[in-house]
Amino acid sequence: MINKHHLAIAAVAVLPMLASTPANADNKYAVGAQVGTDGYGIEGQYSLTDRLALRGGYHDLSFDIDDESYDGITYNGDLEFKNMAAFLDYHPFNNGLFISGGAYFGDKSVALSAVPTGTVVVGSTSVTNVETGTLNSSVSLADTAPYLGFGFDNGVFGGDSPLAFHASVGVMFTDTPEVSLTSVGGTLSADPTFLAELAQEAQNLQDDISDFEYYPVVKVGLTLRF
C-alpha cells in the first residue's frame, strides 16, 4: 500500500527528472535565516540546474506548554524540535516559485508533567492525588519526517539583488505520536491495576493528539545570494 512516506520519496525522486535543462554556468549559492512553525532556521541553497535547487539547514523550535488539559488532567511541560532538514526545490518557471520535497531529521518530542490537586479519572478509575503522585508523560514523533510543500524563494532564481525573500507552506509527516505515561510518588504508582489504567490513559492522550502526525510548516525569511 502506498503511504505518505512513499509519496514523499517519490516526489524527491521525480524532481531531478523535471529539471531537464542544463546547469547554469555560474551555479549560485545563497544562505538565509527564517522563522516559522518549524522554529528558527538557517538554510543554505545551491542551484543544481536552472530549475532545480538543493536546500538544507538547521531548525530549532522550543516553547513551554502551560495548563493543557487532557481527560480532565492539567499538564505543563515543553516542546522541542531540533532538526536538520534537506529539500529539493523545483522552480518550473525559472523564477522564485517552487514546489519542494524533502525531510526533517532529528528530535521531535514533548515532555509533560501533571500534579493533580484532587480526584481525577485515570483510564476509567477515579483516583486521588495521593494515589497518583506526579504523572509524567513523554510524546515522541518520528526522527525522520518527510515533507512536501510549495512557496516562493528567489535566493538562486528570479533576481539579481543580493537580498532575496523566502515564503513557504507545507506539511511535515511526523507519524502518529507515541505517548508514554508514568506515575511517581503515589501510593498506587506500582499497583498493577493502576498501571493498566495508566496505560489506558496514555492511549486516550495519544488519541487526543493523533492529528499531530500532520504538522503544518509555514515560514518566512530573508536570503542573501552570492
Side-chain angles (χ1 to χ4, degrees):
M1 178 181 294
I2 296 175
N3 59 31
K4 55 184 175 288
H5 296 280
H6 297 146
L7 180 62
I9 293 170
V12 173
V14 167
L15 282 174
M17 293 185 285
L18 295 174
S20 57
T21 54
N24 295 329
D26 55 340
N27 288 327
K28 290 174 287 188
Y29 301 85
V31 63
Q34 299 154 5
V35 62
T37 57
D38 59 353
Y40 296 99
I42 298 176
E43 291 186 346
Q45 297 181 56
Y46 172 67
S47 58
L48 298 171
T49 77
D50 61 3
R51 283 179 173 79
L52 185 67
L54 177 65
R55 179 166 54 93
Y58 177 76
H59 297 265
D60 190 326
L61 174 64
S62 300
F63 63 83
D64 294 334
I65 299 172
D66 297 318
D67 298 329
E68 287 292 331
S69 181
Y70 300 101
D71 272 4
I73 301 174
T74 301
Y75 292 88
N76 294 281
D78 57 83
L79 176 149
E80 288 193 353
F81 282 7
K82 297 181 182 296
N83 287 263
M84 301 297 294
F87 313 99
L88 283 173
D89 298 337
Y90 176 58
H91 296 251
F93 308 111
N94 193 26
N95 60 17
L97 296 174
F98 70 90
I99 57 174
S100 183
Y104 287 80
F105 309 93
D107 179 60
K108 308 168 189 66
S109 61
V110 180
L112 299 172
S113 180
V115 183
T117 57
T119 299
V120 294
V121 176
V122 175
S124 59
T125 302
S126 294
V127 290
T128 68
N129 57 323
V130 174
E131 293 171 323
T132 63
T134 300
L135 299 177
N136 294 318
S137 178
S138 65
V139 182
S140 60
L141 304 170
D143 288 343
T144 300
Y147 168 87
L148 291 175
F150 65 94
F152 179 89
D153 190 312
N154 57 344
V156 292
F157 299 115
D160 296 320
S161 170
L163 194 62
F165 177 71
H166 176 99
S168 61
V169 177
V171 178
M172 187 193 310
F173 300 97
T174 59
D175 261 343
T176 302
E178 295 185 2
V179 177
S180 66
L181 186 60
T182 60
S183 169
V184 178
T187 59
L188 294 180
S189 292
D191 181 79
T193 302
F194 178 68
L195 292 178
E197 295 293 344
L198 205 60
Q200 181 58 55
E201 185 64 28
Q203 184 61 54
N204 293 345
L205 177 56
Q206 184 164 308
D207 292 342
D208 283 346
I209 62 174
S210 60
D211 289 344
F212 202 59
E213 65 178 305
Y214 304 106
Y215 186 80
V217 179
V218 180
K219 58 186 177 182
V220 295
L222 294 176
T223 302
L224 182 66
R225 60 164 68 232
F226 58 94

